[in-house]
Amino acid sequence: MTLRPFEQIVAEYGPMVLRVCRAVVGPADAEDAWSETFLAALKAYPALPEDARIEAWLVTIAHRKAIDAARAGSRRPVAVGRVPESGRALPGGRALHDGGNSPDDGTGPAAGTLQDAGEWDADLWNALKALPQRQRAAVAYHYLAGLPYKEIAAVTGGTTEAARRAAADGIKSLRNSYPRRSEEDERGERR
């Protein structure tokens, strides 16, 4: 049996890998991580064993590219709306305004965030971003990529039970921090 053309692999698994990248590295770096994942996969694809699970293989590559993106992100300068006169900045790259009393809220164009309302929910990303890295990865790999916990453990370097616990804890945290229903929904009205 021969391997399928790589174009078919990209077409079939590309959306799943993009969802995983968005959940793990965030919307701003997701497309770069996706591209890097498939570039690395293209190079390694001819040597892939015929019995390999392609989803798990791609998620493993995406996981490693996400780690690379996180490391690169920690070395990148943080964009601020306005450089403070005093040279003081708040955590998270927010700058103090001229008066020094209120921080830049990060809503301006220089905030360095991707505004893609049709494709990605910023509130969901903020809730995911608040999760510890292992929980965020376990939630993304299980619920977005559909990997079983055994394969998540192999990707993240833990046990099956630890992957299951991380995913459960992550979902519990998301349920508490990311409410799906608004007050109108509770009254039976649609948004």
Side-chain angles (χ1 to χ4, degrees):
M1 185 169 113
T2 61
L3 294 173
R4 296 186 302 178
F6 192 72
E7 296 160 351
Q8 289 177 358
I9 301 299
V10 174
E12 184 175 345
Y13 298 106
M16 179 267 302
V17 171
L18 183 59
R19 286 191 306 271
V20 167
C21 290
R22 281 183 172 160
V24 175
V25 300
D29 294 326
E31 290 181 9
D32 290 338
W34 184 90
S35 297
E36 291 293 325
T37 297
F38 279 104
L39 283 173
L42 178 62
K43 291 177 186 174
Y45 187 63
L48 185 69
E50 290 181 17
D51 63 341
R53 285 209 49 219
I54 294 176
E55 305 108 336
W57 176 68
L58 288 171
V59 168
T60 300
I61 295 170
H63 174 76
R64 292 180 181 145
K65 295 303 175 183
I67 290 170
D68 292 347
R71 287 179 183 153
S74 68
R75 293 186 296 266
R76 256 185 264 151
V78 177
V80 294
R82 173 186 267 176
V83 178
E85 293 280 334
S86 66
R88 296 183 311 151
L90 296 174
R94 297 179 299 154
L96 292 174
H97 287 294
D98 289 335
N101 293 331
S102 63
D104 179 0
D105 64 2
T107 60
T113 59
L114 177 66
Q115 300 291 325
D116 190 4
E119 293 290 322
W120 187 253
D121 184 349
D123 292 336
L124 177 58
W125 166 241
N126 288 332
L128 280 168
K129 187 169 60 171
L131 293 176
Q133 178 59 31
R134 284 199 183 266
Q135 289 180 12
R136 183 175 33 197
V139 167
Y141 300 158
H142 185 70
Y143 293 99
L144 297 177
L147 292 183
Y149 295 117
K150 183 177 181 180
E151 290 180 7
I152 294 169
V155 169
T156 60
T159 65
T160 303
E161 293 77 21
R164 182 178 290 116
R165 180 79 263 158
D169 290 347
I171 290 296
K172 181 179 179 182
S173 294
L174 285 174
R175 285 184 179 139
N176 291 331
S177 66
Y178 182 70
R180 290 182 64 188
R181 306 183 104 181
S182 66
E183 292 176 16
E184 294 85 25
D185 290 339
E186 290 175 8
R187 291 191 307 243
E189 300 173 8
R190 299 295 289 171
R191 281 195 248 180

